[in-house]
């Protein structure tokens, strides 16, 4: 039993590292690739992003149901092959239509993995503290992401198509390796007696909906996830513009305004790795951490840092609070996922985690235009302040989740 669990845990860490490396390598210069090689105009560039988000939103629940009905392992493998196919298509065919189709393909692949991966490792590692498992996985993902950014940037300086093609190839290779080494010993389908694919989907969806309605803690945690989605799109889209428009970025040797953003991304990843390690060390020393305290403090810290970032004008001050805001999100997400896992029926884990991912995407789809409109009509700093306010309901939901018991 110990050997089996150790293998699953090692495979999970390997997956998080290699998958993050491949995805970061493929996406780090994707916008530059779209502009310079595919030569997309502004409308086409926005449309590519919209198609990707919409694909993730639409496919999230059906793919989660597949994982709970048939196999979480199989769902992850399908996702990896779709990732690889999508990136290869985008890199090898530099025209608008194939690039648009590629977003649908690898966006669908992402939904096959989201939910299924968390449900798989939670079932295979029932005896391990799931907070530590998710935190360590997040840490390995950040390390892989840093390496992917570096490799993608170096390859992109040679040829902008190379990061996408090599990243897609790495995804396909990882899928083949996982097919040989990824165990699945604790899976049991949510529905034993099959009535046909469509009826099974409807039945499981109804079971999931009824379960969520009867679990007040889970409802509160899903609502917190929705708030996080609402408050993430504005930060992701407007922070670069705020740096460029509202402060003077210092030129230090080779660090020009473009290179600075790569450096900031790397610093943020390193800080996330160190913070995850400190939290894991504390868990190993004390046995556990208060999820209520972690999610509450990181949510409040994110709001405060985002407001300070919005009103700041000094580059060094803005850099500090920007990195701290990103750090709050990095710490919160795996702890929130572990908290949710404790209130999910084992047979419906993938579906519930997919629901969480869908709510996050829905929040981004709704929150992005609201914040963008404020930024356009008033100013970018006020758009960022609006983003911070969208997370305020989470501060009232966290105590609710902490007090209620299923």
């Amino acid at each position: 039993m110990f050997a089996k669990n150790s293998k699953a845990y090692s495979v999970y860490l390997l997956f998080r590292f290699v998958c993050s490396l491949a995805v970061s390598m493929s996406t780090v210069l994707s916008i530059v690739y779209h502009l310079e090689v595919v030569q997309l105009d502004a409308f086409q560039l926005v449309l590519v992003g919209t198609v990707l988000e919409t694909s993730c939103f639409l496919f999230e629940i059906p793919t989660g149901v597949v994982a709970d009905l048939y196999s979480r392992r199989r769902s992850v493998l399908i996702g990896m092959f779709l990732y690889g196919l999508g990136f290869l298509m985008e890199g090898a065919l530099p025209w608008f239509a194939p690039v648009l189709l590629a977003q649908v393909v690898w966006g669908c692949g992402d939904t096959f993995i989201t939910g299924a991966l968390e449900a798989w490792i939670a079932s295979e590692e029932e005896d391990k503290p799931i907070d530590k498992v998710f935190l360590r996985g997040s840490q390995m993902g950040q390390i892989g992401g840093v390496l992917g950014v570096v490799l993608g940037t170096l390859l992109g300086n040679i040829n902008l198509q190379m990061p996408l093609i090599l990243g897609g190839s790495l995804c396909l290779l990882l899928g083949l390796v996982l097919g040989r080494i990824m165990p699945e010993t604790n899976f049991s389908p949510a529905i034993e007696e099959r009535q046909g694919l469509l009826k099974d989907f409807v039945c499981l969806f109804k079971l999931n909906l009824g379960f969520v309605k009867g679990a007040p803690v889970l409802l509160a945690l899903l609502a917190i996830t929705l708030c996080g989605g609402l408050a993430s799109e504005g930060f992701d889209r407007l922070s670069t513009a705020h740096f460029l428009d509202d402060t003077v970025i210092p030129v230090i040797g080779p660090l020009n305004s473009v290179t600075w953003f790569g450096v900031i991304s790397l610093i943020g990843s390193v800080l996330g790795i160190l913070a995850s390690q400190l939290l894991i060390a504390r868990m190993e020393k004390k046995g556990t951490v208060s999820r209520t305290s972690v999610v509450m403090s990181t949510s409040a810290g994110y709001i405060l840092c985002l407001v300070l970032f919005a009103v700041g004008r000094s580059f060094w001050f803005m850099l500090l609070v920007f990195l701290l805001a990103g750090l709050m999100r990095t710490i919160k997400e795996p702890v929130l996922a572990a908290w949710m896992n404790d209130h999910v029926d084992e047979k419906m884990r993938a579906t519930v985690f997919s629901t969480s991912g869908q709510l996050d995407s829905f929040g981004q789809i709704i929150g992005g235009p609201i914040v963008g409109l404020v930024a356009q009509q008033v100013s970018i700093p006020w758009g960022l302040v609006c983003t911070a306010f969208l997370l305020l309901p989470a501060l009232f939901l966290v105590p609710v989740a902490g007090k209620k018991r299923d």
Side-chain angles (χ1 to χ4, degrees), residues 2 5-6 9 121-122 125-133:
F2 179 78
N5 280 349
S6 296
Y9 182 54
I121 192 61
E125 296 287 1
E126 291 179 329
D127 297 330
K128 284 184 180 292
I130 199 63
D131 303 74
K132 181 180 176 181
V133 171

Side-chain angles (χ1 to χ4, degrees), residues 236-254:
D236 294 336
R237 299 295 179 183
L238 297 179
S239 55
T240 300
H242 184 42
F243 271 119
L244 293 173
D245 293 349
D246 298 318
T247 190
V248 177
I249 300 176
V251 177
I252 305 174

Side-chain angles (χ1 to χ4, degrees), residues 42 80 120 135 157 184 214 230 237 290 342 399:
M80 285 313 304
W120 168 77
L135 279 167
N157 280 311
E184 186 171 41
L230 289 168
R237 299 295 179 183
S290 171
D342 280 357

Side-chain angles (χ1 to χ4, degrees), residues 54-127:
T54 303
S55 299
C56 291
F57 176 74
L58 292 177
F59 289 118
E60 193 71 67
I61 290 298
T63 53
V65 172
V66 167
D68 281 335
L69 281 177
Y70 298 101
S71 166
R72 281 91 182 251
R73 174 183 177 275
R74 192 181 305 171
S75 184
V76 171
L77 294 177
I78 292 171
M80 285 313 304
F81 288 121
L82 288 175
Y83 254 140
L85 180 62
F87 288 138
L88 283 174
M89 183 187 303
E90 187 171 354
L93 303 172
W95 302 288
F96 176 58
V99 166
L100 206 61
L101 179 59
Q103 310 310 303
V104 178
V105 173
W106 76 264
C108 180
D110 183 72
T111 63
F112 269 102
I113 295 171
T114 304
L117 180 68
E118 292 83 358
W120 168 77
I121 192 61
S123 295
E124 296 297 310
E125 296 287 1
E126 291 179 329
D127 297 330

Side-chain angles (χ1 to χ4, degrees), residues 305-357:
C305 289
L306 194 49
V307 171
L308 292 174
F309 175 66
V311 301
R313 292 298 180 270
S314 164
F315 171 78
W316 299 108
F317 175 77
M318 289 169 59
L319 175 61
L320 174 63
V321 291
F322 172 82
L323 292 171
L324 288 174
L327 190 60
M328 297 298 107
R329 291 168 62 181
T330 299
I331 296 172
K332 182 188 76 172
E333 289 171 2
V335 175
L336 185 62
W339 193 355
M340 194 178 301
N341 178 75
D342 280 357
H343 297 277
V344 175
D345 185 275
E346 195 281 329
K347 291 187 176 182
M348 293 186 291
R349 273 190 179 129
T351 307
V352 172
F353 276 120
S354 289
T355 302
S356 174

Side-chain angles (χ1 to χ4, degrees), residues 348-380:
M348 293 186 291
R349 273 190 179 129
T351 307
V352 172
F353 276 120
S354 289
T355 302
S356 174
Q358 191 175 45
L359 286 172
D360 182 73
S361 295
F362 182 69
Q364 293 185 47
I365 292 170
I366 298 299
I370 294 173
V371 171
L373 186 62
V374 172
Q376 182 186 54
Q377 298 297 320
V378 186
S379 68
I380 290 174

Side-chain angles (χ1 to χ4, degrees), residues 29 152-160 163:
L29 296 177
T153 303
L154 293 174
L155 292 170
N157 280 311
I158 300 171
N159 184 303
L160 284 169

Side-chain angles (χ1 to χ4, degrees), residues 182-252:
M182 187 176 186
E184 186 171 41
T185 56
N186 291 339
F187 173 73
S188 57
I191 301 174
E192 298 292 344
E193 296 183 5
R194 302 295 172 80
Q195 306 173 32
L197 185 61
L198 183 59
K199 288 184 178 180
D200 288 344
F201 272 28
V202 173
C203 181
L204 185 56
F205 182 77
K206 289 181 178 179
L207 285 173
N208 178 59
L209 188 62
F211 175 76
V212 171
K213 284 183 177 179
V217 175
L218 193 56
L219 278 173
L221 295 176
L222 289 172
I224 293 169
T225 300
L226 175 62
C227 293
L230 289 168
S232 66
E233 188 70 3
F235 178 71
D236 294 336
R237 299 295 179 183
L238 297 179
S239 55
T240 300
H242 184 42
F243 271 119
L244 293 173
D245 293 349
D246 298 318
T247 190
V248 177
I249 300 176
V251 177
I252 305 174

